[in-house]
Amino acid sequence: MLSLCMIVKNEQDVLDRCLASAREAVDEIIVVDTGSADDTAEIARDHGATVLSHDFADLDFAAARNRSLDAAAGDFVLVLDADETLHPDSAGLIRSLAADGGDVGYVVKRRNRRPGGKAAVDHAVRLFARRPAFRYRNRVHETVDTAILEAGGRLRRSHVIIEHHLPTVERETEKSRFYLRLLERDLADDPADVDRLTFLAAEHHKLGDFRSAPEVAERIAGLLPEGLGAHHTLALYHFAY
């Protein structure tokens, strides 16, 4: 059995498209709503989803993700965001990978695109076995891959493709500012978390803050004295700005 697990808030304009794209690939849909004031929940129920309300006052994306995992019944989980769609050729592939079983997390290709623009590709674990220890971590830019590896699981590349339909520049800017606040909260708990610092630098960069981004890059390089990538990034910032 394969479960689609999602967290949503005010996604009525895009949710139908997302759920329709995954209909043939999954057996159940779990949607955790973090406070929608529109028709998001009704659209999800129209697709047969189980909709759960989640108190997002603590602003913790990992906690909301894990709520969806706890409610799922599938042996494997597919994770999508509402502004994403599953590529039509990937439904059968997902079924095949899930049928193989195992303590595995599959890395998928995500194509990030605005209408009329070229796609920027990144990769993430979005299909994985449902195990008690496989849980998301971090308040924002939450990930499950570290938990999979620490629990003895494996990560494998796949040919699954997710299309990410990017929001307007204005909405993306608003989201980046929100993410910055959450990243700072994570870093208050662990100022030496290189993963969180890397995301922090990226958000500053997206916002065009070329004073703060190099400062964060400097912190990362200090924590990784032999990290060639970190020092290369810092050198580029110094050269450009």
Side-chain angles (χ1 to χ4, degrees), residues 183-201:
L183 286 165
E184 292 287 4
R185 287 180 60 186
D186 279 340
L187 286 163
D189 296 334
D190 183 2
D193 188 330
V194 172
D195 177 73
R196 300 291 92 193
L197 286 168
T198 301
F199 280 121
L200 185 69

Side-chain angles (χ1 to χ4, degrees), residues 89-199:
D89 295 339
S90 293
L93 178 56
I94 283 176
R95 289 282 190 187
S96 177
L97 294 174
D100 283 345
D103 294 337
V104 182
Y106 288 101
V107 179
V108 311
K109 178 188 291 186
R110 189 172 71 152
R111 300 197 294 210
N112 308 279
R113 187 195 308 271
R114 285 194 180 87
K118 293 181 63 176
V121 174
D122 60 20
H123 300 83
V125 176
R126 291 296 195 86
L127 177 68
F128 53 93
R130 191 176 65 87
R131 303 287 186 267
F134 294 1
R135 289 294 181 268
Y136 280 89
R137 300 177 183 178
N138 300 309
R139 290 183 178 90
V140 68
H141 290 304
E142 64 283 2
T143 56
V144 71
D145 46 328
T146 300
I148 292 173
L149 292 172
E150 288 183 356
R154 295 162 294 154
L155 299 182
R156 291 180 176 172
R157 285 194 174 271
S158 76
H159 296 292
V160 174
I161 297 173
I162 292 173
E163 306 285 359
H164 182 203
H165 310 275
L166 290 171
T168 64
V169 173
E170 292 77 13
R171 184 171 181 185
E172 194 167 13
T173 297
E174 180 183 347
K175 184 185 293 187
S176 286
R177 288 174 177 152
F178 176 56
Y179 285 177
L180 281 176
R181 297 197 299 272
L182 298 185
L183 286 165
E184 292 287 4
R185 287 180 60 186
D186 279 340
L187 286 163
D189 296 334
D190 183 2
D193 188 330
V194 172
D195 177 73
R196 300 291 92 193
L197 286 168
T198 301
F199 280 121

Side-chain angles (χ1 to χ4, degrees), residues 216-233:
V216 178
E218 190 90 48
R219 290 168 64 186
I220 295 170
L223 291 165
L224 300 173
E226 298 183 8
L228 294 180
H231 288 272
H232 178 68
T233 298

